[in-house]
Amino acid sequence: MDGISETSQARALGEALAALRRDCGLSQAEAGARIGMTGQGWGLYEAGKRSSLFRPDVQRRLTGALNATPEALMLQAPGGAQVSTDRPRTSLPDNAPPYGLSARGRAFDGAPSDVRRMRLETDELAPWASAGTVLEYALGRWPRRGQGCIIQLQDGLRKVRLYDRADEAEMVVLGAGALDRSERIARSDVQSVSAVISRLDDD
C-alpha cells in the first residue's frame, strides 16, 4: 500500500465521495436513492467503513449517481493518485466525440467514456425499443431508474433490460420476456452494468 494503510485510503476515498456529493447539492439519502441504496448505506462509504469502496464496479456505481467518474473520485481524494484502487486508467484519443452526460462539480473535463453499440434481436422491450433498434451504451455507467441498461453476467450472458432499482444483494430490472415483467438478478452474478444513452431506430 506504499506506506499508506488501507484504513487511511478508505477514509480518503470516503471524504472524496462526500465532496463530490456535496458539489452536486445532494444529501446522502438523495444520492443513495439514485442507485437504490439507503442514506445510511451511502454514509458508510463516505465514512470509509466499507472496503468494497476499493472495487472499480462499486466506484463506478457510486460516482455514476453523482454524474461523475472514478477518475474524478481519485482527483478529489487527498493525495490524488497516491490512493490505489488497482484500477487501470483509460483514455480516449483527443479527437474522440463527446458522448453522454458531462460530469458536474469537480469532475474534470474530458473524463474517459467508452461508448459501444449493439442491435436488439427481439421485441421483448417494445415499445421502448423493438427488434432492429441499435442501442448506444456507456460502458460501466450506472443507469437511472427507467433507463435502459446492458447487463453483462459473470457466465458471459448479456441482457438488455430497463433498470428499476438495486441494493447490495440484487438488481431489479424490467423486460424479462415483456416490458412489464420484472426480474431479480443477484449482484454476485453481475460482471458489469452499462447505461443505454441512445436508441437508433433501424431504417
Side-chain angles (χ1 to χ4, degrees):
M1 291 286 183
D2 298 325
I4 304 176
S5 72
E6 183 172 324
T7 299
S8 296
Q9 290 195 36
R11 189 178 300 116
L13 285 176
E15 291 173 359
L17 182 65
L20 289 177
R21 174 183 56 77
R22 288 192 294 268
D23 284 345
C24 285
L26 298 175
S27 67
Q28 291 181 344
E30 290 169 332
R34 290 188 171 192
I35 52 175
M37 180 186 297
T38 65
Q40 182 180 12
W42 183 281
L44 290 175
Y45 282 111
E46 291 191 356
K49 294 182 178 179
R50 285 190 169 173
S51 60
S52 57
L53 185 54
F54 290 107
R55 288 170 40 188
D57 61 319
V58 172
Q59 290 181 14
R60 286 193 296 269
R61 181 185 177 208
L62 295 172
T63 57
L66 307 175
N67 292 337
T69 64
E71 287 78 11
L73 184 68
M74 294 300 98
L75 289 179
Q76 185 72 58
Q82 294 179 16
V83 179
S84 172
T85 60
D86 298 321
R87 182 179 190 274
R89 292 183 178 269
T90 58
S91 61
L92 288 176
D94 292 337
N95 60 352
Y99 289 103
L101 298 173
S102 299
R104 294 184 293 176
R106 299 187 184 181
F108 61 96
D109 294 333
S113 177
D114 191 349
V115 176
R116 301 185 183 182
R117 289 185 176 185
M118 70 170 290
R119 185 183 299 274
L120 284 180
E121 303 294 336
T122 71
D123 287 320
E124 290 180 329
L125 297 178
W128 181 79
S130 56
T133 300
V134 174
L135 303 178
E136 283 191 337
Y137 59 97
L139 197 66
R141 178 181 296 171
W142 195 264
R144 299 182 302 276
R145 189 169 190 177
Q147 186 175 17
C149 62
I150 312 296
I151 305 169
Q152 184 70 46
L153 300 178
Q154 300 286 4
D155 62 7
L157 184 64
R158 185 169 60 176
K159 296 185 177 186
V160 183
R161 298 289 188 264
L162 294 187
Y163 176 74
D164 185 36
R165 61 187 185 278
D167 57 27
E168 294 297 307
E170 64 182 9
M171 293 180 61
V172 179
V173 293
L174 302 174
L179 196 57
D180 60 351
R181 296 174 63 179
S182 65
E183 177 181 9
R184 295 177 181 273
I185 303 174
R187 294 294 293 274
S188 59
D189 292 337
V190 176
Q191 183 179 57
S192 66
V193 179
S194 303
V196 173
I197 58 174
S198 180
R199 288 170 286 171
L200 308 174
D201 292 331
D202 193 23
D203 294 330

